[in-house]
Amino acid sequence: MHIVRTVQAMRHEHEQWTGSVGLVPTMGYLHKGHLSLVEHARAENEHVVVSIFINPTQFGQHEDLASYPRDIEHDLQLLSNLGVDVVFIPTVDEIYPSGFTTYVTPEGPLVEQGEGAIRPGHFRGVATVVLKLFLIVQPQRVYFGQKDAQQVVVIRRMIEDLNLPITMQTLPTIREADGLAMSSRNSYLTASERASACVLYRALSAAMAAFDLQRLTDVQAISGAARTVVDSMPNIRLEYIEIRDYSTFLPLQTLRPPALVLIAVRIGKTRLIDNFVLHTDGRWDTGLIGDQVSRANP
Ligand code: AMP
């Protein structure tokens, strides 16, 4: 496994390769969610690149850039167990050299609503770094997690809008045994916060049950069912529970597939997001419990 820190060295690696390249972009502090993306990339490509870059432009001024968890040694150990070819770990200066001017700025409801409303500029930072990574690594296939549902829609749109010759694979959210979606940010939770963090999954499950079992389709009624679950937890503040069209990201009045049910909460100082997908065939994608996912020993 090569550890590559510069754009030039990454290009040099690429020049040696003939077969397909799969890229998994991450911010590190890897967990089973990341590793499931890497495993899929490994299975589908001759060459696998994992990038680890905590991208400053996607963090707001008062967000957790400085405290974002890091453990490169452990990350490298996990990745070498999975047969990754290159770990690309650029510095901030390598990605944003002095004088950097050119950003990718998605526009419209897709980036102004949901996470975009709470984190202005977030998707500009995401789209900019992801396009740069695509151009530096030149993958045929890229792997993203359903966990960050709006990011999936934004990147899918960018690939289409800019005619990028790239196939995007979106893989299910990997969860802890109690349903909490794995996230590097879960490490911020205290023991008691961690115990209540499964509320996101329980609230999404309540919304799904309102649709499937109670046959409710009115989004107010469905999100009300989810809200009741969150309101029963005193230490949790609901930021939003939203039901949106999966392709346009526009809000729905009546739940019908393809749709996303999205939730964001604050538990103490930690902000957590999660979602379920209702696919066109009526099937829900609620993710997978990590222990049921086969993988090499993290
Ligand atoms: P991050 O390091 O948080 O930027 O995430 C890197 C990639 O891993 C993104 O495509 C995320 O959507 C994906 N990811 C994060 N958490 C999970 C999870 N629990 N299950 C599946 N994918 C995930």
Side-chain angles (χ1 to χ4, degrees):
M1 186 171 80
H2 291 178
I3 296 165
V4 166
R5 298 181 192 275
T6 66
V7 173
Q8 194 188 8
M10 186 64 239
R11 290 221 197 284
H12 181 69
E13 293 283 340
H14 196 271
E15 278 162 16
Q16 326 285 314
W17 293 342
T18 47
S20 69
V21 178
L23 168 67
V24 182
T26 82
M27 298 205 296
Y29 210 71
L30 303 179
H31 50 67
K32 291 179 194 171
H34 297 113
L35 300 187
S36 114
L37 305 182
V38 176
E39 281 177 338
H40 279 83
R42 181 66 286 167
E44 293 175 5
N45 300 279
E46 261 100 305
H47 309 284
V48 174
V49 179
V50 175
S51 60
I52 299 180
F53 180 63
I54 302 176
N55 175 36
T57 63
Q58 72 188 66
F59 286 77
Q61 249 189 340
H62 304 291
E63 292 183 1
D64 56 343
L65 174 60
S67 58
Y68 196 85
R70 295 152 218 246
D71 189 347
I72 285 286
E73 289 313 314
H74 189 235
D75 290 349
L76 293 176
Q77 171 93 54
L78 297 176
L79 296 175
S80 70
N81 292 344
L82 294 182
V84 167
D85 297 286
V86 166
V87 189
F88 180 50
I89 318 179
T91 60
V92 172
D93 281 348
E94 187 69 12
I95 297 296
Y96 300 109
S98 127
F100 186 88
T101 307
T102 311
Y103 290 84
V104 180
T105 309
E107 292 177 357
L110 176 49
V111 291
E112 287 159 7
Q113 301 181 7
E115 286 298 286
I118 290 170
R119 309 183 67 188
H122 171 67
F123 289 114
R124 174 184 191 250
V126 168
T128 302
V129 80
V130 167
L131 183 60
K132 282 189 61 105
L133 290 169
F134 288 0
L135 294 171
I136 295 164
V137 176
Q138 299 174 54
Q140 280 70 47
R141 297 193 190 86
V142 295
Y143 296 81
F144 287 84
Q146 182 56 46
K147 159 78 170 44
D148 297 286
Q150 193 169 356
Q151 171 171 282
V152 165
V153 184
V154 169
I155 302 297
R156 194 200 288 144
R157 200 63 248 184
M158 178 177 79
I159 290 173
E160 203 176 315
D161 289 347
L162 301 183
N163 307 107
L164 303 178
I166 287 175
T167 303
M168 178 176 179
Q169 311 281 36
T170 305
L171 293 160
T173 300
I174 306 299
R175 302 181 177 282
E176 304 283 359
D178 66 351
L180 173 65
M182 290 187 188
S183 164
S184 309
R185 289 188 166 102
N186 293 349
S187 62
Y188 298 150
L189 299 169
T190 65
S192 75
E193 289 169 351
R194 169 64 192 85
S196 30
C198 61
V199 71
L200 289 94
Y201 182 72
R202 288 179 37 230
L204 292 169
S205 301
M208 178 171 74
F211 179 76
D212 278 355
L213 304 178
Q214 292 175 260
R215 305 268 169 218
L216 299 179
T217 56
D218 176 57
V219 301
Q220 296 297 338
I222 294 169
S223 45
R227 196 175 290 272
T228 307
V229 175
V230 181
D231 288 347
S232 70
M233 311 287 289
N235 57 344
I236 298 196
R237 186 159 68 76
L238 182 64
E239 268 187 357
Y240 61 73
I241 169 100
E242 290 178 346
I243 299 180
R244 294 178 173 273
D245 183 288
Y246 192 21
S247 13
T248 63
F249 208 69
L250 291 171
L252 295 173
Q253 299 308 318
T254 304
L255 178 52
R256 46 102 191 117
L260 285 168
V261 183
L262 304 134
I263 186 168
V265 306
R266 276 191 191 274
I267 309 184
K269 291 195 183 106
T270 307
R271 184 162 187 276
L272 298 177
I273 60 170
D274 201 347
N275 68 90
F276 282 4
V277 188
L278 177 59
H279 287 291
T280 315
D281 59 6
R283 191 175 47 84
W284 286 90
D285 176 359
T286 63
L288 299 165
I289 301 292
D291 285 347
Q292 298 161 357
V293 181
S294 80
R295 84 196 139 65
N297 208 19

